[in-house]
Amino acid sequence: MTKITTENYVPEARKAIKNPVLQKALADLQNRFGRGTAECYRRLPEGPDLRLKAHEIRMKTIENLDVVLETLAANIRKNGGHVYFAKDSQAAVNYCLKVARQHQVKHVVKGKSMVSEEIGLNDALVDAGIEVSETDLGEYIIQLAAETPSHIIAPAIHKTRHDVGSLFAEKLDIPYEDDPPKLTWIARKALRQKFLAADMGTSGCNIACAETGHITTVSNEGNIRMSTTLPKVHMAFMGMERVAARLEDHDILLRLLCRGAAAQNMATYVSYIGGPRQADQADGPREFHLVILDNGRSRILADPEFREMLCCIRCAACLNVCPVYAKIGGHSYGYAYTGPVGAVVTPLLVGINRAKDLCQGETLCGACQVACAVNIDLPRMLLALREKLAEGDPAWQVNPADRKERLLWQAWSWIIRNRSVYDLALRLAAVGQKLMPQRNGMIRRLPPPVNGWTQGRDLKPLANQSFIRRWKKGL
């Protein structure tokens, strides 16, 4: 099972903020992709409003997900493939291990997959005595470093070429080299041997199409195709929501996915995979398996307040504009999904109380929705999660996160609804603030329990007279 460390959000974020290499890498990423994606949306033949149509498509699919998934499974089986519906992470892992044992698999080559990160597939295979090799260059670097991805599409964004050079020298027993093209060639040479020796290939699924019975993988590296065609067995993993009903819908989502992910009109490698190779085909796996994972998604589907989250196609556009992610990176989130999407979906999957810092750490600036390829209202759901943390929710087993904070806000609500009490509070605060440490006319530090506000910023003091008092005096 994958390791969940959402409780370490605050200390990990503090470490990330102090990391100059990470700060520069994240700034460069957002400058390149964040702005480029907006321009790509603008240049769409249908214009940026295609995102609104995509949202309607996704919601309609989600609301009819049972029928759409049954159609997908039936068509894949018709093409000779196998489909397994996994209730949770353990069921998905167990199915993969079962198939691996049947084929006496010793070595697996793995295409990039966030779902496999979610279920902890690599560790499970290694524990079963099976060698696993990541084949995406970024994921390969991360695997050698024994780390987790820090971005959905750029997993090694926190590594410099010098870091990678030192890592390759240590792990591959070669002379140090820090020239990017040469490092890529070194990785290609090492991975080529893995591809030739592999008994099984695994991959994710960017979008599946129920009408045609195929899954689609999107990549800017050709390695994923070698993972899905060279080994005798190919097993793909997809979250149960990652499906389009019709090929026409699939086309719209694919175009928006590529723009949202990397500001491209189309990714370099797009593959449609519908089953094992046929008798008249020269290459492809002898067996194709699709694992459709629930792992808490049914619970999200059943809640009208959060159902919209299942529209997400994991393009990472929200990460590329989020001011919070731009400072703390992906490792702070403590789970496979990071940035604004992680701040919503992770609490829903692992527990709202357990991952409370993620949804409370976002700014609610709305940039994520503006960038989202399918126009998901992430700020609304972030607020809904915060409400549950404040009030509690038996349906989601949420206990109020901080009863003292709740009482404080209740007191504030009562004060601002009573004019005379509010005026008195302002006058007392104006007097009391003079006792606070100040610098250049700004308050440097507030007392508990509101001292958190001034840990990283100074606070402008209250005016000596309120606007209402000045108005009444005719000032």
Side-chain angles (χ1 to χ4, degrees):
M1 299 295 288
T2 189
K3 188 177 181 181
I4 303 170
T5 58
T6 52
E7 297 88 348
N8 298 333
Y9 177 88
V10 173
E12 288 296 324
R14 286 176 177 155
K15 282 168 52 180
I17 289 171
K18 296 176 182 177
N19 184 336
V21 172
L22 178 63
Q23 295 301 306
K24 184 179 185 305
L26 293 173
D28 290 345
L29 179 82
Q30 292 207 333
N31 285 334
R32 186 166 70 253
F33 288 152
R35 296 178 182 178
T37 293
E39 179 61 20
C40 277
Y41 292 155
R42 190 188 66 79
R43 293 200 308 264
L44 280 163
E46 302 91 339
D49 285 351
L50 186 63
R51 297 166 54 247
L52 307 182
K53 183 176 181 180
H55 187 276
E56 293 177 3
I57 289 170
R58 292 297 289 142
M59 285 303 298
K60 185 176 180 180
T61 301
I62 296 305
E63 288 162 0
N64 297 277
L65 195 57
D66 54 343
V67 176
V68 175
L69 287 176
E70 286 177 7
T71 304
L72 172 68
N75 284 332
I76 285 181
R77 287 167 179 150
K78 190 185 301 182
N79 294 335
H82 303 269
V83 180
Y84 177 74
F85 287 89
K87 179 181 179 181
D88 53 28
S89 298
Q90 194 60 58
V93 167
N94 288 345
Y95 180 79
C96 183
L97 292 175
K98 174 185 173 183
V99 173
R101 292 190 192 100
Q102 288 174 350
H103 292 274
Q104 299 180 329
V105 170
K106 301 296 183 183
H107 188 181
V108 171
V109 284
K110 180 170 167 286
K112 191 173 181 301
S113 165
M114 296 308 299
V115 167
S116 66
E117 294 287 340
E118 177 185 337
I119 66 177
L121 180 64
N122 284 16
D123 289 342
L125 290 170
V126 171
D127 290 344
I130 299 171
E131 182 183 355
V132 183
S133 299
E134 294 282 358
T135 61
D136 173 87
L137 180 56
E139 294 281 356
Y140 180 62
I141 292 168
I142 293 305
Q143 183 182 31
L144 290 179
E147 296 177 1
T148 55
S150 61
H151 190 281
I152 292 176
I153 64 166
I157 188 65
H158 58 290
K159 296 287 188 186
T160 67
R161 59 191 176 93
H162 307 293
D163 294 334
V164 176
S166 298
L167 182 68
F168 280 9
E170 176 189 352
K171 299 296 184 178
L172 303 180
D173 193 25
I174 59 173
Y176 174 82
E177 175 61 65
D178 60 16
D179 179 54
K182 291 181 180 178
L183 290 172
T184 303
W185 182 86
I186 290 168
R188 182 183 296 127
K189 182 179 179 181
L191 286 172
R192 189 57 54 96
Q193 302 306 314
K194 306 292 186 182
F195 287 129
L196 294 173
D199 309 297
M200 175 188 283
T202 68
S203 75
C205 164
N206 290 100
I207 312 169
C209 180
E211 181 182 24
T212 57
H214 81 266
I215 68 164
T216 301
T217 61
V218 178
S219 173
N220 283 321
E221 299 177 16
N223 288 349
I224 193 168
R225 286 184 172 176
M226 299 182 76
S227 300
T228 61
T229 57
L230 279 179
K232 60 186 178 183
V233 179
H234 171 209
M235 184 171 294
F237 295 83
M238 64 171 269
M240 70 183 212
E241 77 282 10
R242 302 290 289 280
V243 59
R246 304 177 304 159
L247 189 58
E248 179 183 350
D249 300 340
H250 175 280
D251 171 68
I252 291 173
L253 296 175
L254 176 61
R255 291 162 59 206
L256 287 168
L257 170 67
C258 296
R259 286 164 170 82
Q264 296 173 291
N265 290 340
M266 186 57 63
T268 308
Y269 297 95
V270 177
S271 301
Y272 288 12
I273 304 167
R277 71 182 179 198
Q278 303 301 311
D280 59 344
Q281 293 176 329
D283 57 13
R286 280 179 272 174
E287 282 193 15
F288 171 71
H289 298 257
L290 176 63
V291 177
I292 300 175
L293 179 69
D294 186 330
N295 202 37
R297 289 165 174 79
S298 288
R299 190 178 187 186
I300 299 173
L301 177 65
D303 191 328
E305 193 168 28
F306 295 112
R307 184 177 299 156
E308 185 184 4
M309 194 62 234
L310 295 179
C311 292
C312 178
I313 56 176
R314 302 293 192 270
C315 67
C318 59
L319 279 69
N320 298 337
V321 297
C322 176
V324 176
Y325 179 85
K327 290 298 179 184
I328 68 173
H331 289 151
S332 303
Y333 292 83
Y335 196 54
Y337 306 112
T338 62
V341 57
V344 175
V345 78
T346 297
L348 296 175
L349 292 178
V350 309
I352 296 175
N353 279 114
R354 183 175 189 179
K356 62 182 177 63
D357 289 333
L358 277 64
C359 58
Q360 291 178 329
E362 296 297 308
T363 65
L364 301 176
C365 66
C368 51
Q369 183 177 3
V370 173
C372 177
V374 292
N375 195 46
I376 298 172
D377 194 348
L378 288 163
R380 176 189 65 78
M381 288 183 280
L382 287 167
L383 280 172
L385 288 169
R386 292 184 182 188
E387 180 183 10
K388 294 188 185 304
L389 286 166
E391 304 292 336
D393 187 338
W396 282 93
Q397 291 86 49
V398 182
N399 298 316
D402 191 335
R403 297 185 184 278
K404 291 183 294 183
E405 182 179 353
R406 183 182 181 188
L407 291 173
L408 185 65
W409 285 112
Q410 286 177 338
W412 172 247
S413 175
W414 178 77
I415 289 171
I416 62 174
R417 284 184 284 114
N418 293 273
R419 182 77 240 183
S420 58
V421 177
Y422 181 67
D423 287 339
L424 176 61
L426 283 179
R427 288 196 290 271
L428 291 174
V431 173
Q433 70 183 358
K434 295 178 181 178
L435 303 176
M436 302 294 103
Q438 298 192 18
R439 176 177 57 196
N440 299 326
M442 302 285 282
I443 298 173
R444 294 177 52 203
R445 189 165 59 252
L446 290 174
V450 292
N451 55 322
W453 284 98
T454 49
Q455 286 181 354
R457 64 176 77 82
D458 291 341
L459 188 69
K460 188 175 179 62
L462 295 172
N464 291 327
Q465 294 185 53
S466 69
F467 173 79
I468 294 295
R469 292 182 65 191
R470 289 171 61 86
W471 178 269
K472 288 179 178 179
K473 291 180 179 181
L475 297 177

